Structures are given as structure tokens and as C-alpha cells.
Amino acid sequence: MAKATIYHNGRIATNTKQYFAEAMLVADGKVVSVGTSSDLLREKAPDTEVVNLHGRTVIPGLNDSHLHVIRGGLHYNLELRWDGVPSLADAMRMLKEQALRTPAPQWVRVVGGWTEFQFAERRMPTLEEINEAAPDTPVFVLHLYDRAMLNAAAVRAVGYSKDTPNPPGGEIQRDKRGVPTGMLIARPNAGVLYSTLAKGPVLAYEDQLISTRHFMRELNRLGITSAIDAGGGFQNYPDDYKVVDELHRRGQMTLRIAYNLFTQRPNHELEDFTKWTAAASLYQGDHTLRLNGAGEMLVFSAADFEDFLEPRPDLDGVLETQLEGVVRLLAEKRWPFRLHATYNESIERFINVFEKVNRDIPLKGLHWFFDHAETISDRNIERTVALGGGFAIQHRMAFQGEYFVNRYGAAAASRTPPIRRMLQMGASVGAGTDATRVASFNPYVSLYWLITGRTVGGMQLYGEENRLSREEALRLYTHGSSWFSTEEDTKGVLAPGQLADFAVLSEDYFSIPEQEIKSLESVLTVVGGESVYGVDEFHHLAPPPLPAAQDWAPTAHYGGYFRPATTFARRNHLGCEDHHKSESELRSGRLGESLWGLGCDCFAF
């Protein structure tokens, strides 16, 4: 047996019938055995490493069943994250500071992960406030799927003028003179938002490699060890996969990624999937990086854009013909597929197509699934299960629940999606976030939503009949998600033979008050038996610092998901001089005048 490690004196949630264990033996990247500390330590070999868990809670590595991680990594170091920022005043101070340090021609980009309901002020910024904070540097602020706010400098940078026509399904808001104000509105197609964002400068290739590693490290900090990538708009295969392919080749992946291929060309979808299924092999790669199938966009005519500020869109009449052609091809090639689906009315039409294909080519065993499914009916859950399908659900409603209730009412919102009914009816269900352009990538916000039924703004969406226990929610986020990459036999459970992917938590997930679940993070994250993140009493197990981002990068100053300055400094500047200062020195302002200023330049996070 190669390198072996015993982790002992912990509270290890195994996701098996014997739910908690004290100790675990890991070797060759897999779990060898679990049990009591005394039993495993008694069998320790001379060269076995021993790690004391100090009584901390250990969970299987979290697995986000719907994360735009490949695209997110390419841009992570460019983006100012408002995820979890407690007030609009704080957010705008960050934006103003970032505008001052961002060099031309770069933009300041706030791209998803926030909602006005998280702010103490309970509102979003105005265009006037954004222009005042950043009069010269282009600023792009994306809000959910419904709008983007550009300052005057950004409007000039993208070239929008009185003569620029509105794109299909979108609106460039104008003043009385016809001049663009800087507000872009999805009506209901978010294409105008994303196509405008795509006009901004991108990082150089080497910086994209660094950015992606930083994003993976941030996800590791939150205990995430796997993700299923859902493709995304303007994420072209194979060009935009070169970075993650290169990191895999170099052995620098700290996150397991299974990726789906997302078509980018309306009316040419069948052509794309015909080419890809001929040129690429399903599951090519390994358990670190592997091709997982098709979606979440299969045909553009089936895109039921979820924007609860706008009426539900009626889908194109060619949907059935186009979707059948693609699904029939995928079924023949035995490629799994996933499909973005918000509304039951859309899902009804999709399942009609799937049932038609199924009569000729059985879909069972394909591990196909719907993403989101917020308003699906019991009848359509039943039809999905009968076809062997599943549901990847995300906490989009935690960010948009207030809008949904305002349009459709609290009763309709009480089962968006009907998670409990899905489980009762025997569906395969996995949890995730749909980060980074709408909801945040923080899995504990999603777990909080599953457990409490509340939005990030505190609105109660679900009664007890549609909420999960902490054990159930964790199972969906671990073993549940593994079904969606056909890896349920290798990950999501801490048992002999399973991949040794796990996280040691900052607090006890199973006993802390519900409100505190959102503040959890990992203090030690292990992927395949190798430590990919470590702080506090596990800092000696931490991997080497990452290459630094550009000194002006937002993530170099504020990190990813919001943390108070003292926490950010202590936990992310291991090895730098300031890291060893006392907490009283940190609080006294030695790390800079801004609430988030760090004062040192190691940027090792």
C-alpha cells in the first residue's frame, strides 16, 4: 500500500448506515477503512502519517451538480464578487476602490452571486451611484438574469449609442433623447446581458491558468471537491477548455470536473452535437476531468429563460422538431444529456419529445436530467422518473424568491422546486448552485436554503413539507450529485473503496444554529487523499501558495465569497509576515484603512 494516512479523533459523517465514525484510513487516493480511533491507530504502520482532527466534523467532499466552473475560472480574477456582502454601502465602497486600481482598458465587473435582498438597505445601486463611484473606469454590474447596469464609461467602451438597435428579446434602456442610460434589460432573453459582458477584455492565457487555479482554491476553501460543469453561453468547445485541459495535464487540478457540452449556435445544434459525438468519446479523461455528455443547452428554441420580473416566455413552435433531432442523436450515441428547464409548461413539451424518442430508443440508463425544474408538476416528476431521468436542483430561488412570490404568489412559491416530492417519487436528485452569474457558488448558502426554506433575504418560501433535514441536504450535495456524472459508485460516501474526497469543517454542521450554516467553511480539504486546502491547526498540511494574481485584481484585495478582513487575512496569507500578527493588531487597522484592505502583497489564496 502506497502513502497511507490515518485521520482520527473526528466526527466523520460517512453517508452510510453507520453514519458517524471517529477515524478513517486513506491510501492510494481512496478510503481503506473507517472506524474508531483506537482500532485504526492500533494497526498503524511505521510510515503511516497520522492527522488529529481535533474533534472536528468531517463531511464527504461537496459536489456541485450545476456549476459554471470552467467559464468562471477564466474570469474569476477579473471579477469583483458581491457574494455575501452585507450592505450596499460596503459593496459600493468596494466598487469605488476597485475602479481606482483597475488599469485601462480593463473593466470592473460584478457578475452575479448577489441580490439586493442580502443588503441592509434592501435595494440595488442606482446608475447615478455607479457613475459617481466610477466616473472613468468601465463598470458592468449584472443582476440575476434580468438586468445589467453599465456606467457611462462602459457604455462608451461597448459602443452603444442612439443608433444601436435593441437585440431580440432584450432592451437597451434610453433617456428621452434616445441616448442609452446604461441599463440593459432582459425581456426575457438574457442574451443582451451576456453578449455585452463578452465585449470586455479577457485575461491572457497564462493569467487564465492562474485565475482558474484561484477559483478552484476558493471552492476548496468551501469544502467543494467536485463539480459538474453545465457549459454556458460563450463557452466554446474545445477552445475555452484549453485552460482546464492544461491544468489537468500539469497535475494542477484541485477540483474534480465532469463537463457537459453546451451548443452555441442557434439552428445549428444538431450539427454541433453530431460533430462532437463523432470526435469526442463519452467519459474521456479520468475522475479528475472527464466529458459527461451534452447540455445544459440542447436547442435554443427550448430555452425557457427564468426571469421572474417578466411573464413566462412562450417557446418557439419549432421546439419539438429541433429537440427531437438532438435527443434522438444523443440517445443513439448513448450520451447522457441535461436540459435547462424552469417552467412546468416547458417541461411538459420536453417530456413529450423524450417519450416519443423513448418509444424507439430507451432512455433508461442514460443518466439524463432536468436542471432547475422550479415549477414542475407531480405528474411530470412521475413521467421523468419513468424515463430514468433525474433533477439537478439549485438555490436560484434563494436569490429570486421575492420576485417569484410577487408575480405568482406564496402558494405557488412553496414548491419551487418540489424537492420533497421528487424524493418521495423516487427521483435521483442532486444539489448545486448554478453559479456564478446568478446565485453564489457558496454551497452552505444552498444547504441553508434546502434546510430552512428561506431566501438569502430571509423570506420563508417553504413549509416543513418541502424542507430537508441536515443529513438529507448533505446527501443531495454529495452522493446525490454523483449520480449526475455516473460516479455514484466512486464518490459521495466515505466508505472503503470510495475516493478519499472530504472536508473538515470550521464548525459542526449538524448542531450549529441554522443561521450559522451560511458561515461554514473548510479548514482542511482533501481530494484523492491529497490536501488541497488547509488553515488553522491544519496549516502545515496546506499546499504551496498559488502564483499571484495581478496586483490590481479584485480577488487579490477582497477574495471570493465575502469574509471580514481579519478572517481573510489570517486564513489566506499563510506564510506572509502579516499573517503572524495578533488578532488585536489586525483589528487595529495594521492591514490597511479599508475594511477589506490587506496591507501585504503575497496574495496567496
Side-chain angles (χ1 to χ4, degrees), residues 35 132 144 162 214 232 330 369 408 427 437 460 493 570 586:
E132 181 180 356
L144 306 176
K162 294 172 66 173
H214 283 199
L330 297 172
F369 56 97
Y408 297 109
R437 291 185 175 178
Q460 187 71 57
V493 174
R570 287 200 310 274
L586 293 169

Side-chain angles (χ1 to χ4, degrees), residues 156-428:
R156 291 193 296 271
V158 298
Y160 292 162
S161 68
K162 294 172 66 173
D163 301 322
T164 304
N166 285 332
E171 177 186 342
I172 301 172
Q173 188 186 74
R174 304 167 197 274
D175 62 18
K176 293 179 180 179
R177 298 170 297 157
V179 176
T181 65
M183 182 74 75
L184 307 179
I185 303 173
R187 296 208 186 277
N189 188 331
V192 64
L193 314 182
Y194 298 154
S195 61
T196 303
L197 177 60
K199 296 176 183 290
V202 298
L203 291 170
Y205 178 73
E206 288 297 324
D207 290 322
Q208 288 180 340
L209 292 167
I210 294 171
S211 177
T212 298
R213 295 185 69 190
H214 283 199
F215 189 31
M216 290 192 292
R217 179 69 58 87
E218 172 70 356
L219 297 174
N220 297 151
R221 182 185 71 82
L222 296 168
I224 300 174
T225 59
S226 291
I228 306 176
D229 186 272
F234 298 91
Q235 183 176 325
N236 292 286
Y237 181 80
D239 292 349
D240 290 323
Y241 293 72
K242 290 178 181 176
V243 164
V244 73
D245 283 337
E246 177 62 17
L247 292 177
H248 183 233
R249 188 189 67 79
R250 295 182 184 182
Q252 294 176 338
M253 298 278 291
T254 62
L255 183 77
R256 301 187 192 276
I257 299 175
Y259 59 90
N260 288 70
L261 300 186
F262 183 120
T263 185
Q264 302 292 329
R265 302 190 301 156
N267 300 315
H268 294 275
E269 300 94 339
L270 182 58
E271 180 183 337
D272 282 343
F273 287 116
T274 300
K275 177 178 64 178
W276 293 336
T277 55
S281 299
L282 182 63
Y283 305 134
Q284 65 185 29
D286 54 31
H287 282 298
T288 301
L289 182 67
R290 68 202 301 249
L291 173 59
N292 194 51
E296 67 179 293
M297 181 73 78
L298 295 180
V299 293
F300 280 80
S301 55
D304 67 338
F305 301 101
E306 155 261 347
D307 176 358
F308 301 133
L309 290 175
E310 295 288 330
R312 177 182 60 83
D314 290 323
L315 298 183
D316 198 304
V318 302
L319 178 165
E320 281 80 3
T321 300
Q322 293 184 342
L323 184 60
E324 181 184 345
V326 169
V327 171
R328 189 171 292 277
L329 168 74
L330 297 172
E332 289 171 348
K333 300 292 186 179
R334 306 310 292 169
W335 267 43
F337 59 88
R338 64 193 306 167
L339 181 59
H340 169 106
T342 301
Y343 298 101
N344 187 62
E345 292 84 352
S346 307
I347 292 170
E348 180 88 21
R349 295 175 65 180
F350 301 159
I351 297 178
N352 289 342
V353 172
F354 299 164
E355 288 177 337
K356 182 179 179 182
V357 173
N358 185 69
R359 286 193 286 270
D360 300 324
I361 312 169
L363 299 183
K364 274 199 172 182
L366 269 190
H367 287 238
W368 71 271
F369 56 97
F370 286 120
D371 287 296
H372 319 310
E374 276 87 357
T375 72
I376 191 171
S377 67
D378 283 7
R379 172 59 182 146
N380 283 333
I381 296 173
E382 182 179 36
R383 296 170 72 195
T384 300
V385 171
L387 293 172
F391 300 98
I393 53 97
Q394 302 81 34
H395 67 321
R396 305 193 308 175
M397 288 296 291
F399 289 78
Q400 304 177 86
E402 287 83 356
Y403 290 159
F404 189 97
V405 169
N406 188 57
R407 178 170 290 277
Y408 297 109
S414 67
R415 43 174 286 150
T416 50
I419 305 165
R420 175 64 67 191
R421 289 296 291 146
M422 291 173 177
L423 294 171
Q424 289 172 342
M425 298 175 77
S428 297

Side-chain angles (χ1 to χ4, degrees), residues 105-139:
Q106 291 290 348
W107 300 2
V108 177
R109 312 170 199 226
V110 179
V111 185
W114 67 279
T115 170
E116 69 268 35
F117 302 109
Q118 78 193 43
F119 294 146
E121 299 88 342
R122 310 288 286 189
R123 70 174 181 87
M124 64 182 68
T126 64
L127 286 170
E128 290 75 17
E129 288 171 327
I130 293 173
N131 276 292
E132 181 180 356
D136 302 312
T137 305
V139 171

Side-chain angles (χ1 to χ4, degrees), residues 477-587:
Y477 230 110
T478 51
H479 192 246
S481 291
S482 67
W483 182 89
F484 296 82
S485 57
T486 320
E487 296 177 290
E488 64 269 37
D489 293 333
T490 60
K491 65 168 65 168
V493 174
L494 295 177
Q498 296 278 302
L499 293 170
D501 300 349
F502 57 90
V504 183
L505 299 183
S506 55
E507 302 292 342
D508 180 27
Y509 164 78
F510 298 97
S511 65
I512 58 176
E514 289 178 342
Q515 188 67 22
E516 295 179 16
I517 292 173
K518 293 184 291 185
S519 300
L520 285 170
E521 55 186 273
S522 177
V523 290
L524 174 65
T525 304
V526 175
V527 177
E530 299 291 333
S531 299
V532 295
Y533 179 80
V535 292
D536 296 349
E537 64 264 48
F538 304 104
H539 70 88
H540 63 288
L541 298 175
L546 297 176
Q550 300 91 335
D551 59 4
W552 58 267
T555 48
H557 297 268
Y558 309 112
Y561 194 87
F562 172 79
R563 284 167 288 164
T566 53
T567 301
F568 183 79
R570 287 200 310 274
R571 290 196 168 170
N572 291 277
H573 289 243
L574 296 172
C576 79
E577 182 179 352
D578 275 322
H579 175 73
H580 300 288
K581 297 184 185 299
S582 68
E583 183 160 331
S584 61
E585 287 178 301
L586 293 169
R587 291 187 183 278

